[in-house]
Amino acid sequence: RASSYVDSIQSRLPKASETMAEATLRSTQTGTLEAIEPSTDGVEAAMEPTAPVTLIIHDENESQDANRTEVALVEALLTALDDPRPSETGIVTPHNAQKGRLNQRFSDRATIDTVERFQGGERDVMVISATASDPDYVRSEAEFLLNPNRLNVAMSRMKKKLVIVASQSVFEVTPPDADEFDQTLIWKRLYDALGVTADSPATAVWNGQLDELCPAEIDIPTAKATTNIEIYALRAADE
């Protein structure tokens, strides 16, 4: 059983690698953001105009189909944009529950929907809220949550900036079913491309806690204020 599982994984690697290259390294960037107005150093690092792709990793690990930590992070990102509008900013999430929370707060500033239903073409800024962070939930729902098409769609919608907000659990969970290996590989290769792993180490452009990244006016869940955050950036020259 173990041997056949390893053989199955190895046979999938070339195909998965090609998918990852298309999904994360061949973006549709057509320009760079104009001057941003960051309110904290963390927001400045996340919204740096010269980095077309930014990954924000947090260690909150209790959420399933809605994530208040990621709602706060998305709000912090929006504060850096001058007059954000739905025609210029898009936010996607796999879950209707998270979509509902985001719409309650930001429907006047961004187009918000699930990846499958996102309408209206490209946006200058696209944000992905991966949402799920409970390791058992991510593992049990891997086929749905980690579907590489979701990352492909979100990247194809961005014109100037893509920010991916995700828990460490998304990158650390390995499904027990070999058929789902391709699903996690796309996320793990994103991790590699941004230099987060030991095999391709890089220094985070910013690290700190949630209450340090978010401006004071943002309502942060008290229990989540000390959530650890790391930000990694893929600059145009790296692609």
Side-chain angles (χ1 to χ4, degrees):
R1 170 63 179 169
S3 176
S4 63
Y5 176 54
V6 171
D7 290 342
S8 178
I9 287 176
Q10 290 176 337
S11 70
R12 294 168 185 273
L13 278 171
K15 179 180 178 181
S17 298
E18 292 171 2
T19 302
M20 188 59 217
E22 293 177 359
T24 62
L25 302 180
R26 192 176 66 189
S27 75
T28 57
Q29 185 191 22
T30 59
T32 57
L33 287 177
E34 289 73 26
I36 59 173
E37 301 177 357
S39 49
T40 68
D41 290 345
V43 172
E44 182 176 18
M47 297 300 286
E48 167 58 47
T50 62
V53 181
T54 301
L55 172 64
I56 301 178
I57 303 173
H58 60 83
D59 67 357
E60 189 278 325
N61 62 359
E62 299 175 337
S63 300
Q64 296 187 356
D65 60 358
N67 191 316
R68 295 176 65 193
T69 296
E70 294 192 10
V71 171
L73 286 167
V74 169
E75 184 170 7
L77 299 176
L78 293 176
T79 65
L81 300 175
D82 180 26
D83 190 25
R85 302 178 182 182
S87 61
E88 299 172 349
T89 307
I91 305 170
V92 294
T93 175
H95 296 288
N96 281 315
Q98 182 74 345
K99 169 191 165 183
R101 290 198 175 199
L102 292 166
N103 263 317
Q104 287 176 355
R105 303 284 292 274
F106 316 127
S107 61
D108 60 334
R109 289 180 271 177
T111 299
I112 303 164
D113 216 328
T114 58
V115 177
E116 293 85 351
R117 296 176 58 86
F118 190 86
Q119 301 293 325
E122 298 175 336
R123 297 292 190 279
D124 287 349
V125 178
M126 287 294 300
V127 179
I128 301 175
S129 172
T131 305
S133 64
D134 180 304
D136 290 336
Y137 184 78
V138 174
R139 188 176 295 109
S140 66
E141 298 291 324
E143 184 174 2
F144 169 72
L145 296 175
L146 306 181
N147 188 318
N149 290 334
R150 290 186 168 84
L151 196 55
N152 275 320
V153 169
M155 291 202 74
S156 70
R157 300 288 191 183
M158 81 92 159
K159 294 166 64 177
K160 298 180 179 180
K161 181 77 175 182
L162 172 68
V163 183
I164 302 167
V165 182
S167 167
Q168 289 179 357
S169 303
V170 171
F171 299 93
E172 293 173 350
V173 166
T174 301
D177 188 342
D179 289 340
E180 296 175 4
F181 184 77
D182 285 359
Q183 313 283 40
T184 58
L185 188 61
I186 191 169
W187 288 92
K188 290 181 179 180
R189 285 191 179 274
L190 174 62
Y191 224 36
D192 288 337
L194 289 160
V196 183
T197 62
D199 292 335
S200 53
T203 302
V205 295
W206 186 88
N207 61 75
Q209 296 181 338
L210 182 63
D211 59 357
E212 296 172 324
L213 183 145
C214 292
E217 66 269 19
I218 292 179
D219 182 21
I220 301 173
T222 302
K224 306 299 183 183
T226 58
T227 298
N228 292 309
I229 309 291
E230 291 185 347
I231 299 175
Y232 294 85
L234 181 66
R235 300 183 185 279
D238 296 331
E239 296 183 321

